[in-house]
Amino acid sequence: MSAVMPTYGRTNLAFERGEGAYLTATDGRTYLDFAAGIAVDSLGHAHPHLVAALAGQAGKLWHVSNLYEIPEQTRFAERIAAATFADALFFCNSGGEAMEGAIKAARRYHAENGAPERFRAITIEGAFHGRTLATLAAAKNPKHTRGFGPADRDLGIDGFDQVAFGNVNELRVAITPETAAIIAEPVQGESGIRAMPEGYMQALRQTADEFGLLLVLDEVQTGFGRTGKLFAHEHAGITPDIMATAKGIAGGFPCGAVLAVEKVAATMTPGSHGSTFGGNPLAMAVANATLDVLLEDDFIDDVAVAGETLKRGLTDIAEKYPAIIDEVRGLGLMVGLHIKADIPNGVFVGELTELGLLTVPAGDNVIRLLPPLIVREKEIAEALAIIGQACAARS
Ligand SMILES: *Cc1c(COP(=O)(O)O)cnc(C)c1O
């Protein structure tokens, strides 16, 4: 067998280098990258500011452990705290690890406030929170849980109750004296770019307040400018108590973070949680450099404009080819094409790849367009032309 465990259904394609929104494969062919490593390469490939930050740090110091002060980490945390609802951050290396930390922080808060019986979290149908055991138990997606433990008992990890997407009444009924938190993605990514219905996010916040629960948002995919705001909850005008982030946080360098308000963060005392690699100088140098660009005047507003341009163009294509695309959805540069049931999304993704455009399949027969946040008119026009061409070839 292959020496790499067969957990991924891989495309037979390897890349050698990238620049901006373009990737060059080992066979020399160039591709327009509207996958961005699944919403990770937020500033595209080989961004000069990020390359300089990484190379500069690489020559100084890579890793020292969280036994010591890490000034680059403190600096990034202070900048994020200043730009968001958060009072403090915990650093880790991935989205799943950030969600684990978020779940632990929610439980810890109640335990430290005299309610250790409050350990359960309510999650939303269609959720994706990672591939660790607890995050699988939280999301309850049978495609991901099969074979990893008793499905009817949360894989053996008790503590998650799931309610229907968009149904506030069902959510309220599911709350018990053991409930600690509500966990939700502002836009569900893996299950097919499902944005929250109007008013739902506000209802989650209001319900959490009413019952003394914490609102935990999973902004692993939606965060760091992806939806045309620094974080997607800003669209709804509410703030969470705890938030998990990762993917785009450091432009492709592995990194994740848990953000929390003070009353929660204060309960995560020394020894309560940890991560060997979390927030090391190398990751933080790149995360700070990524943030330099994201916080430039107009950068994130331009992402919102680019998202509108992309969606408008896709809507035109969908109207021309209703037998192929029946819906365009999403927020900012997190866009989904709902493909008609008789065309498997994976097949269409393959056809787009053949034409030189990289995209990502998602649940519900959706194709995700997650370009680097630096794409503008030129790259968008090129992507639209390829998608139009792929539709024409099928008609
Ligand atoms: C990707 C993703 C995760 C998991 O992140 P990993 O870095 O793969 O562990 C969790 N939640 C959401 C919403 C994601 O999109």
Side-chain angles (χ1 to χ4, degrees), residues 227-305:
T227 69
K229 297 275 186 194
L230 186 56
F231 292 102
H233 64 263
E234 295 168 29
H235 291 285
I238 61 101
T239 58
D241 302 297
I242 304 175
M243 184 169 82
T245 65
K247 289 200 167 86
I249 186 171
F253 199 94
C255 185
V258 182
L259 284 67
V261 296
E262 184 168 5
K263 68 175 183 182
V264 173
T267 66
M268 297 298 280
T269 49
S272 63
H273 194 43
S275 173
T276 296
F277 290 117
N280 85 4
L282 216 42
M284 290 295 107
V286 189
N288 272 305
T290 304
L291 198 57
D292 291 342
V293 178
L294 293 183
L295 295 183
E296 274 171 12
D297 283 348
D298 301 333
F299 183 89
I300 290 180
D301 290 341
D302 290 347
V303 171
V305 172

Side-chain angles (χ1 to χ4, degrees), residues 94-97 128-130 185 190 218 220-221 247:
S94 68
E97 197 187 354
F128 180 76
H129 298 302
E185 293 155 84
E190 301 298 317
D218 180 345
V220 170
Q221 192 164 154
K247 289 200 167 86

Side-chain angles (χ1 to χ4, degrees), residues 127-290:
F128 180 76
H129 298 302
R131 298 289 199 145
T132 65
L133 284 168
T135 56
L136 289 177
K140 299 186 192 292
N141 180 342
K143 279 205 323 229
H144 296 161
T145 56
R146 194 174 57 83
F148 296 113
D152 57 347
R153 286 194 293 115
D154 284 345
L155 300 173
I157 299 168
D158 192 22
F160 300 98
D161 304 298
Q162 193 156 82
V163 297
F165 183 88
N167 189 330
V168 181
N169 288 334
E170 192 181 323
L171 173 83
R172 294 175 65 91
V173 169
I175 296 169
T176 74
E178 292 187 341
T179 307
I182 300 168
I183 300 177
E185 293 155 84
V187 180
Q188 289 189 345
E190 301 298 317
S191 62
I193 313 289
R194 296 207 291 173
M196 285 190 173
E198 191 69 37
Y200 188 46
M201 180 96 82
Q202 292 87 342
L204 295 184
R205 177 71 272 175
Q206 190 261 322
T207 306
D209 290 340
E210 186 181 336
F211 291 90
L213 311 178
L214 297 173
L215 178 61
V216 178
L217 292 183
D218 180 345
E219 292 229 26
V220 170
Q221 192 164 154
T222 53
F224 289 96
R226 175 57 52 188
T227 69
K229 297 275 186 194
L230 186 56
F231 292 102
H233 64 263
E234 295 168 29
H235 291 285
I238 61 101
T239 58
D241 302 297
I242 304 175
M243 184 169 82
T245 65
K247 289 200 167 86
I249 186 171
F253 199 94
C255 185
V258 182
L259 284 67
V261 296
E262 184 168 5
K263 68 175 183 182
V264 173
T267 66
M268 297 298 280
T269 49
S272 63
H273 194 43
S275 173
T276 296
F277 290 117
N280 85 4
L282 216 42
M284 290 295 107
V286 189
N288 272 305
T290 304

Side-chain angles (χ1 to χ4, degrees), residues 11-17 23-29 31 358:
T11 304
N12 185 20
L13 190 59
F15 300 100
E16 198 167 270
R17 63 166 63 86
L23 279 169
T24 305
T26 46
D27 66 1
R29 203 173 159 204
Y31 293 82
L358 303 178

